[in-house]
Amino acid sequence: MHAWLCTTPTGVDALTWTELPSPAPKAGEVLVEIKAASLNFPDLLIVQNKYQMKPPLPFVPGSEYAGVVQAVGEGVTHLQPGQNVACLSGTGGFGTHTIAPAALCMPLPPGFPHVDAAAFIMIYATSHHALVDRAQLKAGETVLILGAAGGVGTAAIQIAKAMGAKVIAAASTDEKCALCTSLGADATINYGKEDLREAIKRLTEGKGPDVIYDPVGGDFAEPAFRSIAWRGRYLVVGFASGPIPALPLNLPLLKGASIVGVFWGEFAKREPKANAAMMMELAQWYAQGKIKPVIDRTMPMAELPAAFARMGSRSVQGKLVLVN
Ligand SMILES: NC(=O)c1ccc[n+]([C@@H]2O[C@H](COP(=O)([O-])OP(=O)(O)OC[C@H]3O[C@@H](n4cnc5c(N)ncnc54)[C@H](OP(=O)(O)O)[C@@H]3O)[C@@H](O)[C@H]2O)c1
């Protein structure tokens, strides 16, 4: 097998495409032949030693992938060789094969392509947990989504629309705003050229959004929060722009509003039954055509450095997927 190996976590340039011994699955594990692996934001951080999870060296990056089970270890009964699966295991995806914990592998129903499956779990699980569970979004409410053309942002648009909410999608270019409109957003804000607060005021007739979904952080957090509706819920999803914002605590007081943390990975660990039910619902929504990953493009696995460069330059719309 071959994989992109990280021996020193100093960045993408230090990754090498390396031949490795073919592994055999131990108890509770499966060997997966990888067909597709998507890029998630933490993949870029982990190879720079900037992510909270620091795997022992050397490791193969690639948090999320889909492929075909080749062999199963002792005690694995719900998967067989030949089964198509999607998996989010944190590492191992950027290669031709990997060993995955069987418990983290989601069997794929017929008609679920590997490219969609590799781009599915992280973004939909995060956005469903955020909007349904944490924000308790209701039909008819208005949700503002920042970074709306990115991975979790595009998933948030589709889920909010499936729930009957009104969606205002905010992104940095007209092209990204056009993508959001094509996904069903009711209105868009190009925060690359429009004043965010003025645009929110205009689009909500001064009331403000009931829910704000923020995977970007940085300079937009405070103006967005200042615009929130009475009893609004502000979802802290991530900090793709870099800086972690600080908010004056008089702001939630003045709006009777809540700042709501979202950490899907920890939710999945602490509340596995609720997570499994959520994943089941998402798979049904996919089968019914209510949600479908936006694939920016596919690239050969060998082009991982170019794929990372595209993500780092803020060019990806939806998800970028590497294929074998
Ligand atoms: N809390 C959780 O459970 C959870 C789960 C998954 C992901 N996350 C976090 O959510 C964030 C977004 O993840 P994602 O996979 O959706 O990433 P993504 O596809 O790269 O999207 C991030 C968006 O952020 C915006 N952005 C603003 N400044 C940026 C900058 N300097 N560099 C890159 N992007 C910038 C971009 O939109 P514009 O150009 O339109 O501004 C981009 O589309 C990350 O911080 C990730 O760690 C959190």
Side-chain angles (χ1 to χ4, degrees):
M1 65 164 280
H2 277 79
W4 285 100
L5 199 64
C6 179
T7 45
T8 37
T10 51
V12 178
D13 291 346
L15 298 174
T16 49
W17 183 244
T18 307
E19 184 167 4
L20 298 168
S22 289
K26 298 195 195 83
E29 295 177 341
V30 294
L31 172 64
V32 179
E33 181 192 1
I34 293 166
K35 296 289 188 187
S38 74
L39 263 66
N40 284 303
F41 209 78
D43 298 324
L44 195 50
L45 302 178
I46 208 168
V47 299
Q48 303 171 71
N49 205 26
K50 287 184 183 167
Y51 192 55
Q52 63 241 34
M53 182 182 80
K54 301 194 190 301
L57 297 168
F59 71 93
V60 175
S63 49
E64 185 173 16
Y65 47 89
V68 185
V69 173
Q70 297 283 293
V72 302
E74 203 187 311
V76 177
T77 51
H78 75 294
L79 298 171
Q80 300 85 37
Q83 169 80 58
N84 289 304
V85 291
C87 186
L88 202 159
S89 59
T91 54
F94 297 151
T96 58
H97 297 77
T98 195
I99 294 290
L104 297 183
C105 290
M106 175 175 127
L108 296 177
F112 206 138
H114 289 123
V115 168
D116 278 5
F120 190 80
I121 299 176
M122 175 74 101
I123 60 170
Y124 287 110
T126 299
S127 293
H128 189 293
H129 174 54
L131 293 170
V132 179
D133 186 4
R134 302 296 289 132
Q136 303 280 310
L137 179 67
K138 294 177 206 68
E141 286 191 318
T142 298
V143 53
L144 169 71
I145 300 169
L146 303 177
V152 296
T154 49
I157 294 175
Q158 293 177 2
I159 289 173
K161 288 311 297 175
M163 295 172 72
K166 178 182 172 193
V167 171
I168 301 174
S172 64
T173 67
D174 287 341
E175 198 191 349
K176 289 183 176 185
C177 288
L179 169 72
C180 298
T181 303
S182 76
L183 295 175
D186 300 278
T188 60
I189 300 171
N190 176 344
Y191 51 48
K193 60 184 189 193
E194 283 177 84
D195 179 81
L196 185 64
R197 283 201 75 189
E198 284 303 317
I200 295 171
K201 203 183 277 181
R202 175 172 49 80
L203 291 169
T204 61
E205 290 161 359
K207 175 177 173 274
D210 302 292
V211 171
I212 298 179
Y213 181 102
D214 182 8
V216 177
D219 293 340
F220 291 129
E222 186 170 332
F225 196 94
R226 284 183 184 275
S227 309
I228 205 164
W230 174 249
R231 284 185 182 270
R233 289 87 77 202
Y234 191 98
L235 295 164
V236 181
V237 180
F239 313 103
S241 71
I244 296 179
L247 284 177
L249 281 180
N250 64 317
L251 298 181
L253 180 154
L254 291 170
K255 295 288 181 74
S258 310
I259 300 171
V260 183
V262 176
F263 190 174
W264 168 68
E266 200 56 26
F267 163 73
K269 264 190 228 147
R270 288 174 185 256
E271 302 177 45
K273 278 194 185 152
N275 184 57
M278 179 182 85
M279 292 312 302
M280 195 100 79
E281 179 166 58
L282 286 169
Q284 281 165 0
W285 285 4
Y286 178 83
Q288 293 161 359
K290 287 185 182 169
I291 56 174
K292 180 164 173 59
V294 174
I295 306 300
D296 176 79
R297 62 186 56 194
T298 58
M299 294 169 74
M301 187 66 77
E303 291 180 18
L304 176 65
F308 268 136
R310 186 167 168 75
M311 178 172 238
S313 66
R314 211 166 156 177
S315 306
V316 175
Q317 296 186 36
K319 296 275 285 180
L320 200 161
V321 179
L322 298 169
V323 291
N324 281 315

